[in-house]
Amino acid sequence: MKIAVIDSGVSEDYAENENNITNGMNIINSKLPPSDDNGHGTNMMKTILELSRSNKFENYIQLIPIKVLDSKATGKKEDIIAGIKYAIEDTKADIILLSIGFYYDFPELRNIISKAEEEGILVVSAAGNDSSSVLYPAAYPTVISVGGVTDGLELQTLSNSGVGLDIVAPWDYKINKDTFTGTSISAGLVVYAAAVIKNQFPEEVLSHLRNRIIINTKEVKNSPKLDDSVGFVDINKAITNENSSLVFPTQKEVALTLPIGKERFCIIDKKERWFKITSDFEGTVTFLIQNDKDNELTASTININEKKYNIGKKESLVFSIGKGVNYFSISTDLDNMNYLITPVLEIQKDEYEPNNKQNEAKMLSVGPINNSFYQANINTNNDKDWYKFVVQENKKIKIIVQSDTTRFDPVIQLYSSENKLIKKSDRSSAGSTEEIEVSLTPGTYCFSVNNDFSNNYNFSYLFNITYGE
Ligand SMILES: [Ca+2]
Ligand SMILES: [Ca+2]
Ligand SMILES: [Ca+2]
């Protein structure tokens, strides 16, 4: 089992004595070996290798260090993409471990992760360690995203969670006197599990193997931040359970969650079975439904909420959903059809839309300090929201934009009625508050709000416009 560890490399002292570690590659400087000047990559290697050794599995694994992170454990976007590309094209890796994440989705990352999928390589990635939204690439549908839990199987407070999280594993891992912590380590532990499980099911196609790992888990402590589809990695269960697909119950009360933005194999038959989608927002959910590739049948019929749909190789079915739990019944006219289903959420437009252009700006009133906030949504790629307001007398005006997700890097731009840019504010980055404070003379002004992470959407934000002193 070849495991590409795309990280800060491996320390020469450690690698020297290990037959399980290959020479690897230094993407930052290809003339140099992938020496670890940070320690993060070496810790990942140690975690996987020591765990393998204590379970007599070390003869089955080979670790490939691919250095893309520097001494501060930071890396250039281009190097990280190049490291993944190298792992796919030059190493014949079975598994890629990416304990690296971005706050934002971008095409190069999305495309290279799709390439790994096409090549049959399992990608495992850390959810992130700042109590916020799941990072990319972990949040992509085909990546196993890993969060961290305490010994008591409770979500570790720093672990990222919510939409996009697949599985959890220990937040910390002890080797001799050292304790390694964070979702990087959690992801490393899941990589070890994935290697053992894959070794037992060498013929299983990637999407089924991934599903097997994600759905055959141990229950964890309930948390509002953890979807009930998320469990604790369980090698034994994944190996002994024949099933690599979800089987929905026939009673609505115990419907299983189908997680938003992630693909799952589901066995559907003639019985009416139940699943649910839990959403923080009103909007639509599109079910991307595929007949199982292994199945020769290329067309079938399914019934969702008592309506019939013809399913070819691939279909998209759109349903309205409300905030909270949404139940769906599902059946087919056939026995035991395996479908790959990915629910994709699009939250609804806010009440100020359409306001993507300056001449569509919505008029709002300016309030006193501590005025209540307006709420709006970023509901599509590049959604831009224009607002305008009137100032009656010389006043200091303050505009605040804030959100609770690191998927939002707010930008505010304030313009005069003559269309002159008065002020732009983009001082802070992911998930932080942006504000403009400026003295204005009487007149009409407008401002725009947009996300600097232009590919990220599906969240709401709060804003207000107030008078200063
Ligand atoms: Ca909007
Ligand atoms: Ca808009
Ligand atoms: Ca900003």
Side-chain angles (χ1 to χ4, degrees):
M1 204 72 57
K2 287 186 178 178
I3 302 167
V5 181
I6 301 175
D7 212 289
S8 59
V10 65
S11 86
E12 280 163 4
D13 283 354
Y14 183 64
E16 198 176 53
N17 305 312
E18 292 293 352
N19 298 324
N20 301 78
I21 300 176
T22 68
N23 291 338
M25 180 66 178
N26 185 335
I27 299 288
I28 301 170
N29 185 343
S30 59
K31 293 189 188 101
L32 298 174
S35 307
D36 190 1
D37 44 4
N38 173 270
H40 191 271
T42 306
N43 292 350
M44 303 307 300
M45 298 272 175
K46 280 185 183 166
T47 300
I48 299 168
L49 208 48
E50 294 306 319
L51 192 55
S52 301
R53 196 159 280 143
S54 57
N55 291 288
K56 303 202 171 10
F57 190 68
E58 75 272 23
N59 292 338
Y60 296 94
I61 62 163
Q62 195 178 44
L63 300 175
I64 307 160
I66 300 175
K67 183 176 174 64
V68 297
L69 301 182
D70 60 19
S71 59
K72 295 188 186 105
T74 55
K76 283 195 211 127
K77 218 164 115 173
E78 302 74 39
D79 286 345
I80 293 167
I81 301 295
I84 304 171
K85 192 164 183 279
Y86 177 82
I88 295 170
E89 292 175 358
D90 297 277
T91 70
K92 301 260 182 299
D94 299 284
I95 302 172
I96 291 175
L97 170 58
L98 277 163
S99 286
I100 293 171
F102 297 88
Y103 288 120
Y104 55 97
D105 174 11
F106 57 102
E108 297 88 341
L109 185 63
R110 205 182 317 151
N111 294 341
I112 199 74
I113 294 295
S114 302
K115 186 87 199 310
E117 183 71 9
E118 282 164 27
E119 298 296 325
I121 304 169
L122 182 67
V123 181
V124 178
S125 189
N129 304 335
D130 55 6
S131 314
S132 185
S133 309
V134 175
L135 301 177
Y136 296 92
Y140 290 133
T142 59
V143 174
I144 298 185
S145 69
V146 189
V149 289
T150 63
D151 291 346
L153 298 185
E154 257 180 296
L155 186 70
Q156 218 285 343
T157 46
L158 287 173
S159 173
N160 291 8
S161 57
V163 171
L165 190 69
D166 286 310
I167 198 165
V168 290
W171 168 266
D172 46 38
Y173 184 68
K174 288 183 186 66
I175 298 173
N176 304 324
K177 291 190 298 284
D178 300 325
T179 302
F180 305 141
T181 59
T183 56
S184 294
I185 292 304
S186 317
L189 296 171
V190 168
V191 160
Y192 164 75
V196 175
I197 296 162
K198 186 175 164 65
N199 193 50
Q200 290 287 320
F201 296 92
E203 301 302 322
E204 195 155 68
V205 295
L206 175 59
S207 45
H208 270 289
L209 179 79
R210 178 167 52 237
N211 228 65
R212 172 181 295 285
I213 297 165
I214 294 169
I215 71 166
N216 291 299
T217 53
K218 204 184 285 177
E219 252 185 65
V220 293
K221 288 263 165 64
N222 277 341
S223 156
K225 292 171 114 188
L226 275 188
D227 196 309
D228 60 16
S229 66
V230 179
F232 184 83
V233 63
D234 188 337
I235 296 176
N236 258 335
K237 203 168 167 185
I239 285 174
T240 49
N241 197 341
E242 274 176 36
N243 234 338
S244 64
S245 299
L246 288 171
V247 180
F248 299 133
T250 52
Q251 282 159 312
K252 184 178 177 181
E253 301 73 51
V254 287
L256 289 184
T257 292
L258 211 49
I260 288 168
K262 288 286 177 171
E263 55 161 63
R264 293 290 183 268
F265 272 111
C266 312
I267 291 180
I268 314 294
D269 56 16
K270 288 174 182 162
K271 289 182 193 147
E272 184 178 59
R273 295 182 178 276
W274 290 89
F275 68 90
K276 59 188 179 185
I277 301 279
T278 305
S279 172
D280 292 334
F281 301 97
E282 276 179 60
T284 62
V285 63
T286 302
F287 293 119
L288 306 176
I289 304 185
Q290 258 178 283
N291 276 312
D292 192 346
K293 283 178 209 139
D294 287 353
N295 204 312
E296 283 174 18
L297 198 64
T298 54
S300 59
T301 309
I302 61 169
N303 311 288
I304 297 181
N305 291 350
E306 293 171 1
K307 248 188 104 181
K308 266 190 194 318
Y309 300 91
N310 291 318
I311 304 296
K313 260 285 186 226
K314 225 175 192 176
E315 301 293 337
S316 302
L317 306 179
V318 184
F319 295 82
S320 297
I321 56 165
K323 188 176 171 174
V325 182
N326 298 265
Y327 289 92
F328 293 87
S329 67
I330 191 164
S331 62
T332 83
D333 301 340
L334 302 160
D335 280 319
N336 297 324
M337 272 298 292
N338 220 338
Y339 294 97
L340 188 61
I341 307 181
T342 313
V344 178
L345 175 71
E346 289 217 12
I347 74 171
Q348 70 175 17
K349 289 177 184 148
D350 57 59
E351 59 188 289
Y352 311 108
E353 299 283 345
N355 63 347
N356 290 346
K357 298 186 200 113
Q358 191 167 3
N359 62 11
E360 295 170 335
K362 292 292 175 310
M363 182 64 81
L364 297 174
S365 58
V366 186
I369 286 178
N370 297 329
N371 188 33
S372 61
F373 281 77
Y374 296 103
Q375 183 172 346
N377 298 338
I378 297 290
N379 71 299
T380 57
N381 262 6
N382 294 310
D383 186 9
K384 197 161 194 177
D385 292 346
W386 283 93
Y387 307 99
K388 59 185 174 185
F389 58 92
V390 176
V391 175
Q392 308 282 8
E393 51 188 295
N394 288 346
K395 280 277 188 195
K396 199 175 254 180
I397 296 287
K398 192 172 185 177
I399 303 168
I400 299 177
V401 175
Q402 62 186 42
S403 177
D404 61 359
T405 174
T406 41
R407 297 204 173 155
F408 188 33
D409 174 2
V411 181
I412 313 172
Q413 294 178 87
L414 176 67
Y415 290 83
S416 70
S417 54
E418 289 84 40
N419 207 5
K420 265 202 163 134
L421 180 67
I422 299 170
K423 207 163 184 183
K424 175 178 175 171
S425 177
D426 188 14
R427 285 167 300 180
S428 51
S429 184
S432 42
T433 298
E434 205 68 70
E435 61 177 63
I436 280 181
E437 192 164 30
V438 63
S439 295
L440 297 176
T441 55
T444 302
Y445 297 86
C446 61
F447 67 97
S448 64
V449 175
N450 68 287
N451 191 0
D452 208 27
F453 299 148
S454 59
N455 288 291
N456 291 8
Y457 60 99
N458 279 337
F459 55 83
S460 62
Y461 64 91
L462 297 171
F463 67 105
N464 70 6
I465 321 157
T466 57
Y467 292 116
E469 63 274 13

